[in-house]
């Protein structure tokens, strides 16, 4: 991406790269939330975890951050990506990051809201299964987990209506 070339040309190596899909993209300009950290947001809407692996070199390794946060999203459930493909992709990204001296942090997936769950029944069950696999993968690989799910799930295990405008993505309060 052009953003990567500009960062590298300016010598402004990010300390952290966020890689993910629309949930990551929606963090927007992270400089306002984290003014003391140089963060490169590499969220691309509509992508599944295995697709992140295809752009991992250009969006993470080439930038040489200290840390990469890898965040999946519910599209992996709705697109019916196999759990094996997802966990294998997480494992490959962690392996590549390690080879380049980059610490990996895996992020759990946020739940969807009740309106989206009604349209696509079982999504939150799939999110919980995927989150269990993310935690197991992180434990097996010896990397940390940031638990976005626990931070935003309501007592029903859903994204609260006041935290989302579309039932799928966190709004400003959830971010």
């Amino acid at each position: 991406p052009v953003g990567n070339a500009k960062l590298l040309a300016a010598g402004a190596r990010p300390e952290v790269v966020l890689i993910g899909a629309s949930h990551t993209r929606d963090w927007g300009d992270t400089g306002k939330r984290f003014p003391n950290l140089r963060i490169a947001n590499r969220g691309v809407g509509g992508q599944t975890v295995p697709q992140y692996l295809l752009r991992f070199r250009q969006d993470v390794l080439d930038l040489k951050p200290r840390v990469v946060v890898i965040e999946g999203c519910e599209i992996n459930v709705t697109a019916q990506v196999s759990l094996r493909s997802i966990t294998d992709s997480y494992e490959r990204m962690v392996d590549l990051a390690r080879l380049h001296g980059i610490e990996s942090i895996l992020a759990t997936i946020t739940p969807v809201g009740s309106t989206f769950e009604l349209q696509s029944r079982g999504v939150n069950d799939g999110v919980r299964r995927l989150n269990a696999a993310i935690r197991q993968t992180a434990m097996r690989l010896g990397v940390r987990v940031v638990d976005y799910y626990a931070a935003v799930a309501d007592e029903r295990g859903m994204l609260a209506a006041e935290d989302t405008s579309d039932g799928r993505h966190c709004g400003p309060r959830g971010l």
Side-chain angles (χ1 to χ4, degrees), residues 32-161:
K32 293 175 183 164
R33 286 189 180 92
F34 307 102
N36 297 322
L37 275 177
R38 286 187 315 278
I39 301 174
N41 183 331
R42 296 299 177 257
V44 176
Q47 286 199 332
T48 62
V49 171
Q51 291 173 309
Y52 308 169
L53 185 56
L54 299 174
R55 59 187 173 89
F56 199 75
R57 176 163 303 285
Q58 72 183 31
D59 280 354
V60 178
L61 302 179
D62 289 352
L63 293 175
K64 300 178 176 80
R66 286 187 310 108
V67 176
V68 60
V69 178
I70 307 167
E71 178 189 7
C73 70
E74 51 54 54
I75 195 169
N76 291 279
V77 176
T78 58
Q80 299 178 350
V81 180
S82 76
L83 197 56
R84 174 70 184 259
S85 179
I86 294 167
T87 57
D88 283 353
S89 297
Y90 277 118
E91 189 169 332
R92 292 301 141 258
M93 287 184 277
V94 169
D95 288 346
L96 285 167
R98 265 197 189 124
L99 286 170
H100 289 83
I102 301 167
E103 177 186 355
S104 296
I105 299 174
L106 304 185
T108 60
I109 296 170
T110 59
V112 298
S114 59
T115 55
F116 191 81
E117 178 70 22
L118 286 172
Q119 296 168 357
S120 301
R121 294 212 181 268
V123 173
N124 279 325
D125 288 338
V127 165
R128 285 186 283 278
R129 280 191 299 277
L130 188 48
N131 283 340
I134 290 168
R135 289 182 189 97
Q136 290 169 352
T137 300
M139 185 180 294
R140 189 176 74 257
L141 299 175
V143 299
R144 292 187 285 171
V145 173
V146 59
D147 199 347
Y148 292 167
Y149 180 91
V152 300
D154 66 13
E155 66 281 349
R156 301 169 301 151
M158 295 192 184
L159 188 57

